[in-house]
């Protein structure tokens, strides 16, 4: 079998099954495991999949920049944002991550809400300028333009000086084994710090992120308090994410 045909077969199996194992692929394609591992490396270098121990998982489409993410799963993100906005109570201090789902959330906060939002996203902060009773704390650092958020030592120091009631996290991949992941190492570190400085963490996950992985792990799935999904979520992928102690909520 030619290399390109093997690559196509691997990607088709990955799309069908949600993950592939090198050993099983070698048996099915009648080639050595070394050949399969080389194929997986080639496909990973093209951004077609994410290699993990023993095989590969689908790569998240949400790895594209902030502007391009704004056109992915728009209706789902509106529903997720509306549901998440209802979870914030008066008097709370909340961390809000950058991203298109969290932007949809802050755009739907009630005008009567009296709370404090700490964010390292200029986009999120700007969206709250006109809100009459939400105080905004900017967590500053070097601007990572791809995602529109601050990273680095400055933002880490600011995070560690606060204790939030809740953190509304944004990631690009949610997978049972690898956990919560994103596409940049510094960004992953900031997200982990925000999780550690909040009493609980809430994730809004559109269906394109479920069962997907990105290169940098933020935290295991067990570190999450609440997972909000939409009716478009694949039931099999959702079942794999259900853990004891994790509150899975369905948005309208």
């Amino acid at each position: 079998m030619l290399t390109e045909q093997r690559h196509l077969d691997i990607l088709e199996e990955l799309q069908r099954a949600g993950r592939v194992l090198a050993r099983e692929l070698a048996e099915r394609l009648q080639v050595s495991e070394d050949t399969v591992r080389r194929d997986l490396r080639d496909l990973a270098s093209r951004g077609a999949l994410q290699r993990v121990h023993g095989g590969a998982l689908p790569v998240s489409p949400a790895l594209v920049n902030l502007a391009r993410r704004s056109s992915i799963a728009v209706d789902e993100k509106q529903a997720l944002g509306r549901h998440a906005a209802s979870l914030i109570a008066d008097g709370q201090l909340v961390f809000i991550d950058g991203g298109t789902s969290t932007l949809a959330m802050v755009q739907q906060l009630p005008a009567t809400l009296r709370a404090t939002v700490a964010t390292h996203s200029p986009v999120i902060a700007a969206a709250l300028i006109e809100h009459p009773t939400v105080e905004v704390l900017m967590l500053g650092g070097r601007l990572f333009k791809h995602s529109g958020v601050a990273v680095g030592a400055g933002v880490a120091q600011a995070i560690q000086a606060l204790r939030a009631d809740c953190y509304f996290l944004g990631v690009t991949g949610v997978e049972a084994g690898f956990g919560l992941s994103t596409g940049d190492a510094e960004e992953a570190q900031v997200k982990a710090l925000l999780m550690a400085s909040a009493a609980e963490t809430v994730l809004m996950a559109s269906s394109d992120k479920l069962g997907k992985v990105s290169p940098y792990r933020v935290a295991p799935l067990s570190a999450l308090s609440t997972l909000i999904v939409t009716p478009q979520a694949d039931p099999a992928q959702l079942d794999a994410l259900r853990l004891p102690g994790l509150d899975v909520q369905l948005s309208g």
Side-chain angles (χ1 to χ4, degrees):
M1 183 181 289
L2 296 175
T3 300
E4 284 305 314
Q5 183 59 53
R6 286 200 312 274
H7 287 184
L8 287 173
D9 283 1
I10 290 169
L11 293 176
E12 287 174 1
E13 178 64 15
L14 186 60
Q15 183 176 14
R16 185 193 68 79
R19 68 183 300 134
V20 292
L21 298 175
R23 174 178 48 79
E24 293 178 356
L25 285 173
E27 292 175 0
R28 188 166 68 81
L29 299 174
Q30 297 184 327
V31 295
S32 68
E33 285 192 44
D34 283 342
T35 297
V36 170
R37 283 192 285 269
R38 185 165 58 249
D39 288 338
L40 295 180
R41 282 197 297 271
D42 291 344
L43 289 166
S45 70
R46 288 155 42 185
L49 52 77
Q50 178 67 48
R51 293 178 67 212
V52 295
H53 181 70
L57 291 167
V59 70
S60 172
L63 282 172
V64 297
N65 65 27
L66 186 63
R68 291 178 62 189
R69 289 205 304 272
S70 63
S71 63
I72 298 174
V74 175
D75 291 341
E76 284 190 71
K77 290 172 183 177
Q78 287 296 314
L80 290 166
R82 185 165 53 251
H83 185 101
S86 71
L87 301 181
I88 302 178
D90 284 343
Q92 286 190 325
L93 166 61
V94 296
F95 291 140
I96 298 183
D97 211 338
T100 49
S101 295
T102 50
L103 179 59
M105 180 187 76
V106 299
Q107 290 170 337
Q108 299 181 80
L109 290 176
T112 56
L113 177 68
R114 294 181 177 275
T116 300
V117 167
T119 183
H120 61 311
S121 165
V123 176
I124 297 297
L128 290 167
I129 287 175
E130 299 300 325
H131 195 290
T133 53
V134 169
E135 294 291 331
V136 180
L137 301 178
M138 281 294 301
L139 308 175
R142 179 180 65 82
L143 182 64
F144 178 46
K145 294 182 180 180
H146 177 87
S147 299
V149 294
V151 295
V155 72
Q157 185 176 5
I159 291 167
Q160 292 168 330
L162 298 171
R163 286 294 178 267
D165 295 288
C166 186
Y167 170 36
F168 290 88
L169 165 69
V171 295
T172 53
V174 187
E175 198 272 330
F178 195 63
L180 313 170
S181 57
T182 193
D184 179 78
E186 277 193 291
E187 195 178 5
Q189 291 171 358
V190 170
K191 293 175 189 295
L193 282 174
L194 286 161
M195 291 184 76
S197 295
E200 59 180 290
T201 299
V202 175
L203 174 65
M204 296 168 278
S206 50
S207 58
D208 59 295
K209 297 176 182 177
L210 300 180
K212 307 296 192 303
V213 296
S214 296
Y216 298 97
R217 190 189 201 202
V218 176
L221 188 64
S222 58
L224 205 59
S225 308
T226 302
L227 174 65
I228 308 173
V229 297
T230 68
Q232 290 91 330
D234 180 89
Q237 290 177 343
L238 199 53
D239 285 344
L241 298 173
R242 295 185 187 277
L243 294 178
L246 175 59
D247 183 13
V248 179
Q249 299 183 9
L250 184 65
S251 65

